[in-house]
Amino acid sequence: MYAAFFGLTQPPFSIAPDPRLLFMSERHREALAHLLYGLGGGGGFVLLTGEIGAGKTTVCRCFLEQIPGNCNVAYIFNPKLTAVELLQSICDEFHVTVPQKYQLPPTVKDYLDPLNAFLLQAHGAGQNNVLIIDEAQNLSADVLEQLRLLTNLETSERKLLQIILIGQPELRTMLQRPELEQLAERVIARYHLGALTQLETAQYIQHRLEVSGLTHALPFDRKTLARIHRLARGVPRRINLLCDRALLGAFAAGQASVSRALVDQAADEVFVRPARAPSLLGRNIALVGLAVAAGAGLLVIARLATQAARAPELAAIAPAVSAAPANSAVAPTLRVASAPAANASVTRTTATPTPPTLLRDQGQAWRELAQAWKFTPGEGDPCLAMAREQLRCLRSNTGLALIRQLGRPGIVTLDRESATPAYALLTALTSDSATLRAGGTEQTVTLSALAARWQGDFSTIWRSPAGYTGPLSDGQGGPVIEWVAARLAEANGTALAAGRPVLDDSLKARLRAFQLAQGLPADGRLGPMTFMQLNRTAGVQEPRLRTEP
């Protein structure tokens, strides 16, 4: 209902699992790493716990996307079963044929024998088998004991079945019972998924809004974001519910930003609290619902009022570079981002300082960016000069969310569609502003001002490993692949596998897991952005994009 009002292309805070809105905090990455480690752990149990709405299912979905093709998966999401019913469900998930018995009820052995035969056959074919049980806190003690017995199925080299238990915190308490001590001893990896920090909550909200099409400043100021974190306790599902209701309330009131009072009222609506008189938020939302049902024009009126209030801002941003004097330096009219007033919830416009210099020559922009890498290209093509030093140019079209994830300065192209596009270095990116530098001048502008002149063209520099000469193909080995395998092992906290690695399905699966954890497209390919993040996790010293005000 409110998406168009805030300039969004889709609802940003739906509680449905949408992979486009995936946000992986450091904790989610660690949880995913534990699951991936357990996949190669040779059997036993892996335990993932967390509060309701903490993101356990999100991590599990990421894990399922990274499982290699030689792995059979059984996923049980309704564990309120007897031991026989659980075995039946496992056989169904693995597509194991169970001989039918007539007039006699099935027993554990009826399912266990064909399941064991299937696991042995899969092992002989070089396949692994993983059983995932969600909401595992609902398992009874006797069913848990049956699961432990399943891990007894083994060969002389390894266990035949890897079991992953996902559940709420009480699952950890259950495994501390004396009768489950033997099962607890077989847990080879465990991780408790905690809540987001205050900073991560702000990043989570910003990420979802930007992916949903937001191009201007956030509708939440810093104090409001802090309030959301406190009320939602850093739990993603609670954050979604609270932000969704708060944005709906702001829309109902015709407000372009969400105040702390609106957040408090939204919390009264979505969280269990003592009964009280209907809030202003609830009355406003009810009125909007009636107006929509009656075909009233409340949305039109609210948006017209908002546009009228923003008219001076839009007018200030409108002039384009193509209308500026035709010389080597262009003076764009960009609105300067100022700190919010003490009692204001939206960014105010201040007097525009001396306009910055923008570059008409893209080669000069590359030279200025190269200086941040302690390199002077000299005359000629700067990218060719940098390639001889293992510094490579990357040109892409992307959004602010991925640029912020990559965390490195780069070149933005302004007024691309005009006859005279301009270039500047993006050196800082906060939740509501961007800092541009060119020709010895610097200016901080609002994201809405940047969006009015920028169509997503972003160029940057990345450092390739020694021996890299170009794209890598399947089955290829050598020093670069060895370097990649070592970086992936460091990132996952695992030992480097014996032997010389090659770019095979196993390595590509680990690459996809790493890419997903780093917020990159998970294609399993060794592209420039993957090398950037491998360098970053390895602690390679490179220029960084400033993300704090």
Side-chain angles (χ1 to χ4, degrees):
M1 184 182 293
Y2 59 76
F5 179 79
F6 288 100
L8 305 173
T9 57
Q10 66 180 41
F13 295 108
S14 169
I15 60 174
D18 186 341
R20 294 173 299 175
L21 297 174
L22 175 65
F23 175 83
M24 294 288 283
S25 71
E26 190 64 30
R27 291 161 184 75
H28 290 87
R29 294 189 185 111
E30 290 178 3
L32 178 60
H34 276 72
L35 295 185
L36 292 170
Y37 168 76
L39 186 62
F45 289 89
V46 175
L47 189 65
L48 173 62
T49 57
E51 298 288 347
I52 297 174
K56 301 184 298 295
T57 301
T58 297
V59 172
C60 185
R61 286 177 180 272
C62 295
F63 171 69
L64 289 171
E65 291 178 3
Q66 306 312 309
I67 290 180
N70 67 337
C71 190
N72 302 311
V73 179
Y75 186 90
I76 308 295
F77 57 88
N78 178 26
K80 288 188 175 181
L81 305 168
T82 66
V84 172
E85 290 171 339
L86 177 66
L87 288 172
Q88 180 182 9
S89 298
I90 295 172
C91 289
D92 290 343
E93 285 289 307
F94 280 134
H95 304 291
V96 175
T97 301
V98 178
Q100 295 294 315
K101 291 173 58 177
Y102 297 97
Q103 298 181 342
L104 292 174
T107 65
V108 167
K109 189 175 186 304
D110 291 333
Y111 293 105
L112 197 56
D113 289 346
L115 177 60
N116 190 30
F118 164 78
L119 295 176
L120 283 169
Q121 181 183 13
H123 174 73
Q127 297 176 332
N128 295 327
N129 303 285
V130 178
L131 169 62
I132 302 173
I133 300 182
D134 206 349
E135 301 295 341
Q137 75 279 353
N138 293 321
L139 293 170
S140 62
D142 62 320
V143 172
L144 283 169
E145 175 61 15
Q146 180 61 61
L147 287 174
R148 184 188 69 82
L149 295 175
L150 286 180
T151 61
N152 288 337
L153 303 176
E154 58 187 356
T155 66
S156 58
E157 299 117 11
R158 61 176 294 146
K159 302 285 187 182
L160 296 179
L161 184 63
Q162 176 73 68
I163 301 177
I164 296 176
L165 301 179
I166 301 175
Q168 295 172 24
E170 51 263 38
L171 177 60
R172 295 187 299 175
T173 305
M174 289 173 59
L175 296 184
Q176 293 173 0
R177 298 177 185 173
E179 66 268 27
L180 295 175
E181 180 180 359
Q182 293 186 66
L183 188 153
E185 290 174 351
R186 298 192 183 187
V187 176
I188 62 172
R190 64 180 72 209
Y191 189 82
H192 182 72
L193 188 59
L196 301 178
T197 65
Q198 183 171 321
L199 176 60
E200 288 170 337
T201 295
Q203 293 172 339
Y204 175 85
I205 293 170
Q206 179 174 323
H207 172 80
R208 280 191 163 245
L209 285 167
E210 287 181 352
V211 171
S212 299
L214 185 72
T215 58
H216 51 79
L218 293 182
F220 306 97
D221 63 19
R222 288 186 182 85
K223 290 184 178 179
T224 305
L225 289 171
R227 183 66 171 171
I228 291 171
H229 172 74
R230 192 178 76 80
L231 291 172
R233 303 197 298 271
V235 178
R237 186 179 301 170
R238 290 172 62 89
I239 294 170
N240 288 347
L241 292 170
L242 183 54
C243 288
D244 183 74
R245 192 68 167 184
L247 287 173
L248 180 60
F251 159 69
Q255 298 177 10
S257 62
V258 179
S259 65
R260 174 170 170 163
L262 274 175
V263 170
D264 287 342
Q265 292 169 4
D268 288 340
E269 299 286 340
V270 298
F271 300 146
V272 178
R273 293 189 172 205
R276 62 171 68 183
S279 66
L280 177 61
L281 172 66
R283 293 196 296 270
N284 282 340
I285 293 175
L287 288 173
V288 169
L290 290 173
V292 171
L298 179 59
L299 172 60
V300 176
I301 294 171
R303 295 202 65 184
L304 287 175
T306 303
Q307 291 170 0
R310 295 181 59 197
E313 172 187 333
L314 297 174
I317 298 171
V321 167
S322 57
N327 51 32
S328 61
V330 184
T333 307
L334 293 173
R335 188 166 71 88
V336 179
S338 60
N343 58 353
S345 58
V346 294
T347 303
R348 305 296 184 186
T349 304
T350 62
T352 304
T354 303
T357 298
L358 293 183
L359 304 170
R360 289 298 183 91
D361 180 8
Q362 190 175 23
Q364 182 57 31
W366 280 113
R367 291 184 182 90
E368 290 198 9
L369 181 59
Q371 291 174 7
W373 291 75
K374 311 299 183 185
F375 182 77
T376 303
E379 298 299 324
D381 187 337
C383 289
L384 287 177
M386 287 188 286
R388 290 191 285 270
E389 301 296 327
Q390 295 299 115
L391 296 177
R392 300 178 182 272
C393 298
L394 172 67
R395 299 171 177 86
S396 63
N397 188 277
T398 187
L400 293 178
L402 184 54
I403 291 174
R404 186 177 284 106
Q405 185 72 16
L406 294 173
R408 60 185 55 222
I411 302 166
V412 292
T413 302
L414 303 177
D415 305 317
R416 182 186 64 185
E417 304 299 331
S418 71
T420 53
Y423 308 94
L425 268 61
L426 177 67
T427 60
L429 187 62
T430 69
S431 61
D432 54 12
S433 68
T435 300
L436 305 178
R437 189 176 70 210
T441 64
E442 188 174 90
Q443 185 183 26
T444 299
V445 302
T446 60
L447 297 185
S448 57
L450 176 64
R453 306 277 296 278
W454 178 63
Q455 285 78 48
D457 292 329
F458 180 74
S459 303
T460 190
I461 295 172
W462 62 284
R463 188 185 303 278
S464 58
Y468 179 88
T469 57
L472 299 157
S473 57
D474 289 353
Q476 185 171 340
V480 175
I481 297 299
E482 292 173 5
W483 180 88
V484 169
R487 299 292 80 75
L488 289 173
E490 289 177 2
N492 292 332
T494 58
L496 188 62
R500 293 189 173 182
V502 296
L503 188 55
D504 55 10
D505 289 343
S506 175
L507 184 60
K508 286 193 287 186
R510 281 179 281 160
L511 271 174
R512 284 192 294 270
F514 174 81
Q515 291 165 334
L516 196 63
Q518 292 294 320
L520 301 178
D523 56 11
R525 299 177 182 175
L526 278 167
M529 293 184 183
T530 300
F531 278 116
M532 290 179 196
Q533 298 304 80
L534 285 170
N535 282 333
R536 182 177 181 179
T537 57
V540 176
Q541 294 298 314
E542 295 177 333
R544 305 301 303 162
L545 185 71
R546 301 197 311 272
T547 55
E548 295 295 329

